[in-house]
Amino acid sequence: MRGLLGAIEAGGTKFVVAVADHDYNIVERTSFPTLDGQKTVEQVIAFFDKFDDIDAIGIAAFGPIDIVEGSTTYGHVLDTPKRGWSGYDFLGAMKDWRDIPYYWTTDVNGAGWAEFETGAAKDVNNMVYLTVGTGVGAGIVSGGKLVAGYGHPEAGHIFLQKHPLDKYEGHCPFHGDNCLEGLAAGPAIEERWGRSAKEIPDDDVAWKIEAFYLAQAALDYTMILRPEKIVFGGGVPHREILFPLIRESFAEQMSDYLAVPDLDEYIVPVANGDNAGILGCFYLAKTLL
């Protein structure tokens, strides 16, 4: 193949689209706000129309989406509060534009795959990538492959025990204060404490409570999946104070039950930064060729 690879990082707030050669050198990249499905994909197509030699495109989309081939709604965005997207046949619209190979997956899988290929988990075969921002989601790689079954994992909605000092009623419209996203996502932090994560000082008790929930999630993933590495991304883990607190809380909650790798190497931040989503799309697109 001598053509180009395409990438669509389809976020609920903005879309990032790019093309690169097969060595992942970016030829062109742009972004634009997410509108409804049809209007947004029209902008995506207008971007890719400039290139006649695209071999494959990786699409990492906000969810929930149907990733099960053979399903009647495969390639669709499922029920979502994002206006103009519920039921939209995203993948079908792209195939109608140009019938080339597409890798269709979630936004968190895209970023997680980049961390697996060239980021913080590049030296292992089993990892969990957890993004903590506006929402919470996970991309899971087991035996070198992305995990999926009846649908994609919804590891951001696992149920947790509440911290003894936490009286917050939760942000998740489905699970209230029972699930990880409802207790630990960015909007939950801001609503609970009356200020954004960026405004909370390092010595505030807010971070010990946040670390308790993220450590508990890491503990649950460890018990079930036994990954070799857990990678945290998203806006909330930008706060460096979190990582020593997560590791400390993880050790306390594990209580010596299971042996894990050195915690400084086991629970780590992303290595690809804000480029992870686009890179993952390129990497996944190339697996189709």
Side-chain angles (χ1 to χ4, degrees), residues 47-187:
F47 172 80
F48 287 117
D49 263 338
K50 296 180 287 184
F51 306 96
D52 296 326
D53 54 346
I54 299 174
D55 294 325
I57 294 177
I59 306 174
F62 71 91
I65 61 175
D66 189 340
I67 63 166
V68 181
E69 292 190 54
S71 166
T72 56
T73 55
Y74 174 64
H76 291 62
V77 178
L78 303 177
D79 288 340
T80 172
K82 189 68 179 175
R83 183 175 296 178
W85 282 95
S86 290
Y88 182 70
D89 187 1
F90 189 162
L91 182 59
M94 294 305 300
K95 287 184 174 180
D96 287 344
W97 164 73
R98 193 176 294 176
D99 191 15
I100 57 175
Y102 294 90
Y103 199 106
W104 169 249
T105 192
T106 62
D107 50 357
V108 68
N109 272 352
W113 190 256
E115 289 301 307
F116 174 71
E117 286 283 358
T118 59
K122 64 183 180 182
D123 297 324
V124 302
N125 286 315
N126 307 278
M127 57 86 73
V128 174
Y129 169 77
L130 191 75
T131 182
V132 187
T134 303
V136 179
I140 300 167
V141 178
S142 180
K145 296 180 179 180
L146 286 166
V147 171
Y150 185 70
H152 52 79
E154 285 287 352
H157 288 267
I158 59 171
F159 278 33
L160 302 180
Q161 295 183 20
K162 288 192 70 173
H163 190 283
L165 298 178
D166 190 11
K167 307 303 180 186
Y168 177 57
E169 295 181 355
H171 186 77
C172 179
F174 300 97
H175 308 126
D177 65 350
N178 288 315
C179 78
L180 176 60
E181 181 169 298
L183 290 167

